[in-house]
Amino acid sequence: MTFEQEWAELRAVAAAKRTAMQINSVPAEGGGGGGGKDLVVNRDDLGAIGNDAYDLLGRLAKEGDIARSSTFDAATALTNGNFVSGSAVLKVHDFWQTHLKTLLDACAQISNHLDYSKARHAKDEAKVEGELTRVSVLTEYMK
């Protein structure tokens, strides 16, 4: 193959790619993954879930700790009374405290993440709207 033939072939391929590019649309045959929107953020949904996680966090912190002191006191009393079950009750107490702390941390992370996502989405939306406004003003000048 000569240089001229190879060059002509490469130019034809590049031209085909340029004309096949689509901006601000999805190919007619669907494309784009699942056929729907890639990212959908509904701020009301995020807020509701974040509030639920925050409420759960508050309730767990209060109600999940109700039996802590009495369980510990019972474990101490049973152990001091030479009952074998005293160490088992203490293990239950420690196990509950560990898992309660893990659950509280998870609820806090969910609530914080959703609050952050909601705020970040609002900032991104404002930024995009501002950029589109500038473009539309430029488009008006170019007409």
Side-chain angles (χ1 to χ4, degrees):
M1 177 180 291
T2 67
F3 174 78
E4 295 300 325
Q5 290 172 328
E6 187 175 353
W7 182 247
E9 185 178 306
L10 289 173
R11 283 190 2 221
V13 169
K17 284 184 181 179
R18 259 183 277 144
T19 58
M21 183 186 305
Q22 294 184 5
I23 299 175
N24 293 334
S25 66
V26 177
E29 60 272 355
K37 296 179 181 178
D38 289 339
L39 175 63
V40 176
V41 177
N42 188 334
R43 285 182 246 167
D44 294 337
D45 291 344
L46 288 180
I49 294 169
N51 285 337
D52 287 348
Y54 183 76
D55 291 344
L56 180 60
L57 174 67
R59 286 185 24 231
L60 268 176
K62 187 174 105 179
E63 296 171 14
D65 199 39
I66 289 174
R68 180 186 51 81
S69 60
S70 57
T71 304
F72 185 76
D73 292 344
T76 303
L78 288 169
T79 301
N80 290 341
N82 293 324
F83 288 97
V84 179
S85 60
S87 63
V89 172
L90 186 59
K91 283 182 184 179
V92 169
H93 169 270
D94 294 344
F95 186 79
W96 175 255
Q97 288 305 114
T98 300
H99 287 286
L100 178 62
K101 183 178 180 331
T102 301
L103 189 56
L104 288 170
D105 289 345
C107 287
Q109 286 180 3
I110 290 168
S111 177
N112 291 341
H113 177 71
L114 290 172
D115 288 343
Y116 171 81
S117 295
K118 183 178 173 183
R120 184 66 206 188
H121 178 67
K123 287 179 185 177
D124 290 345
E125 187 74 19
K127 181 181 176 188
V128 169
E129 285 176 3
E131 290 173 357
L132 289 176
T133 301
R134 284 187 279 155
V135 170
S136 66
V137 169
L138 288 174
T139 304
E140 289 298 318
Y141 286 124
M142 293 170 63
K143 285 184 179 179

